[in-house]
Each structure stands twice: as C-alpha cells, then as structure tokens.
C-alpha cells in the first residue's frame, strides 16, 4: 500500500490532533504521577516503594501475571491451532466464547467466580473439605486474571495461522512427520512473533487488572492486594505520595512492556521483509 507523502493541510491537522490527544490523555498523567511520587523527596519515594506491603503487592501482581501468561499461552496455542487447522461442528460457538471476556465487565466476571466458588455454591463444601480456598485468596486472583486475559494470545495467533494456510503442514505430513514435529518445525516458526506479541499484550493486561480482582480479593492488605488494589487503598487513605509511588511501579512495568512490544514489532517486520 502506497503511503501519501503530500504536505497538505489535512496531514498536519491530523498530526496535531494526535499529538495533542496523546499529550493530554497520556503524557500529562504520567508526568503528574512522577511529580507527585517525588514531591516529598527521593527518600520518601524509596521508602514508599520498598514498604513491606508495597513489596508484597508487587510480588502478588507478578505471581498472578506469570500464572495468567503461562496458562493463557498454552490455551491460546491450543485454541488457535484448533480453530484454524480443523473443521468441526460448533467452531463458531467456541470462537464466540473465546471473545466473551472482552465483552463481559470484569466486575461481572468477579461476581461469576464468587457465585461459582463462594459459600453459597454447591462446590464450596467439596473445596472446603479439600482445604482449597479460592474466594478472598490468591487462587481467586489468579483465576480472575486468567479470565480477563485469555483471548489476547489466541486472537493474535488466529489471523497469522489463517494466513499461513495448511499447505506446508500437509506436505510435512505426507513426508511422514508427526503432529508435534509439524507444529515445532513448520507451524511455530511462522507464528513465533505473533505469539510473543500476544504474550506481551497479555502481560500488560494482567498487571493492570482491577475489577475482577477487586471483587475476589477481599482487599486483605499484605495478602490479596495486587498493586492496582494497593494504589486504591493508599489513595482512599489520603496517602497520595504512597499511592503515586506505587503507581510509578506500574508505569515502569508498562514502559518495559512497551519497549518489548516495539522491539517485537520491529523484529516481526524484519522477519516478514526477509520472507
């Protein structure tokens, strides 16, 4: 596709609109977070981000994110492979269910899990007898994070697998290659950049999840508070410096993920150009 290189008024109007919008909606809030976090000095800032509750919130955020990314990567690969390489009845229904977390409010997702695993659920006596606690515990936070993020990887892979087709895989099968050999040698090299890109998006979404986690966590300080919940707790307690200091940790993580995303896009574009 040819890009327009003219220097007409429309181009500069669009550029100015984009720059102004990004400055107001993105850059100014980020600058304000940094200024407020450092308002009382670097010593207060360091004390705020190294507080035991801040550290526990950060560790829990990382733990929930890792679990969500690992499980959703496995699910995303299986779902994308299933939907693009096999024909079966109910295929569109399965595809619709994969998109469900995008359309359902995270608050509703949290309430669904409360109803499914809470005290009023038929499953609760079984879980209680087995010593498994989901609501107001770490497993509930992990489940909520998985739910809100599981479409991200599969939806990155499905268009790539559809574009790839099945010719190379069928040729490998005719030459005697097994299913997993075909996946490892033929399919995976074509989707690796889309897979990594999906992992990055899933990580970013998992780290910032608030709604579903808020419903399931119980807001137990030092036990079930992730960083977004910890920020809310400090802000409601009028500890603005601490709240913005904790927010800065999320900003740092987001910047790291943004850099990874840009790098993956660059590597993916280079790989496509080579092919």
């Amino acid at each position: 596709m040819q890009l327009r290189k003219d220097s007409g008024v429309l181009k500069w109007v669009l550029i100015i609109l984009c720059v102004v919008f990004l400055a107001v909606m993105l850059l100014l809030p980020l600058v304000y977070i940094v200024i407020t976090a450092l308002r009382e000095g670097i010593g207060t800032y360091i004390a705020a981000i190294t507080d035991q509750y801040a550290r526990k919130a950060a560790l829990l955020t990382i733990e929930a994110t890792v679990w969500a990314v690992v499980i959703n990567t496995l699910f995303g690969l299986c779902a994308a492979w299933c939907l693009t390489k096999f024909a079966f009845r109910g295929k569109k229904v399965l595809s619709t269910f994969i998109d469900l977390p995008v359309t359902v409010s995270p608050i509703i997702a949290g309430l669904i899990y409360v109803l499914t695993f809470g005290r009023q659920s038929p499953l609760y006596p079984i879980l209680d007898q087995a010593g498994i606690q989901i609501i107001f515990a770490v497993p509930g936070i992990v489940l909520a994070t998985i739910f809100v993020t599981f479409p991200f990887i599969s939806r990155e892979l499905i268009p790539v697998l559809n574009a790839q087709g099945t010719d190379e895989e069928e040729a490998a099968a005719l030459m005697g290659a097994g299913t997993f050999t075909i996946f490892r040698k033929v399919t995976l090299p074509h989707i690796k950049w889309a897979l990594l890109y999906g992992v990055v998006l899933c990580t970013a979404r998992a780290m910032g999840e608030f709604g579903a986690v808020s419903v399931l966590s119980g807001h137990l300080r030092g036990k079930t508070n992730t960083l977004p919940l910890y920020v809310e707790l400090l802000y409601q307690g009028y500890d603005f410096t601490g709240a913005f200091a904790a927010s800065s940790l999320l900003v740092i993580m987001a910047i790291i993920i943004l850099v990874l995303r840009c790098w993956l896009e660059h590597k993916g574009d280079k790989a496509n150009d080579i092919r």
Side-chain angles (χ1 to χ4, degrees):
M1 184 178 67
Q2 284 282 0
L3 296 178
R4 296 177 60 178
K5 296 183 179 180
D6 59 272
S7 56
V9 175
L10 177 61
K11 180 180 77 171
W12 290 107
V13 169
L14 293 175
I15 291 172
I16 292 170
L17 283 175
C18 291
V19 170
V20 170
F21 185 84
L22 288 174
V24 173
M25 300 299 295
L26 181 64
L27 295 180
L28 285 179
L30 291 178
V31 170
Y32 183 72
I33 287 173
V34 174
I35 292 174
T36 308
L38 297 172
R39 183 170 54 189
E40 296 184 13
I42 190 69
T44 304
Y45 173 78
I46 293 174
I49 64 173
T50 56
D51 177 80
Q52 61 168 329
Y53 293 119
R55 286 187 281 110
K56 288 180 179 179
L59 289 174
L60 180 56
T61 301
I62 293 170
E63 179 183 353
T65 299
V66 169
W67 276 109
V69 170
V70 170
I71 292 172
N72 285 329
T73 298
L74 294 174
F75 170 79
L77 282 168
C78 294
W81 199 9
C82 173
L83 289 171
T84 57
K85 303 302 180 182
F86 302 98
F88 56 91
R89 295 181 66 179
K91 188 174 181 179
K92 288 194 176 294
V93 175
L94 177 59
S95 179
T96 301
F97 277 124
I98 290 175
D99 289 331
L100 191 62
V102 178
T103 59
V104 172
S105 166
I107 300 292
I108 302 301
L111 291 174
I112 289 171
Y113 279 112
V114 169
L115 293 173
T116 304
F117 300 109
R119 288 182 177 274
Q120 72 279 12
S121 168
L123 295 175
Y124 181 78
I126 301 172
L127 295 171
D128 187 50
Q129 190 174 7
I132 300 173
Q133 184 179 356
I134 294 178
I135 307 302
F136 305 152
V138 174
I141 292 172
V142 173
L143 281 176
T145 307
I146 290 170
F147 179 85
V148 299
T149 56
F150 78 70
F152 284 85
I153 293 176
S154 60
R155 285 305 168 196
E156 287 295 321
L157 295 178
I158 287 172
V160 178
L161 287 171
N162 279 329
Q164 176 192 350
T166 59
D167 293 345
E168 294 181 30
E169 293 165 340
E170 289 172 357
L174 289 173
M175 295 174 66
T179 301
F180 290 102
T181 301
I182 292 172
F183 176 78
R184 184 167 54 88
K185 297 284 189 178
V186 179
T187 307
L188 189 58
H190 286 285
I191 65 171
K192 63 180 180 180
W193 296 115
L195 175 61
L196 290 172
Y197 189 61
V199 167
V200 169
L201 291 178
C202 182
T203 302
R205 180 67 179 85
M207 286 194 314
E209 172 52 30
F210 179 85
V213 170
S214 178
V215 174
L216 288 169
S217 70
H219 294 269
L220 304 177
R221 191 167 185 171
K223 294 183 179 180
T224 61
N225 265 354
T226 58
L227 267 178
L229 300 183
Y230 182 64
V231 170
E232 183 203 28
L233 181 69
L234 292 175
Y235 191 82
Q236 290 181 344
Y238 301 101
D239 183 1
F240 299 122
T241 300
F244 283 101
S247 298
S248 71
L249 295 177
L250 289 171
V251 171
I252 291 169
M253 293 179 183
I255 291 172
I256 292 172
I257 290 173
L258 181 63
V259 171
L260 281 174
R261 173 182 170 177
C262 293
W263 179 77
L264 289 173
E265 285 182 338
H266 175 68
K267 295 290 286 186
D269 290 342
K270 284 182 66 176
N272 291 331
D273 291 341
I274 292 173
R275 284 200 294 268

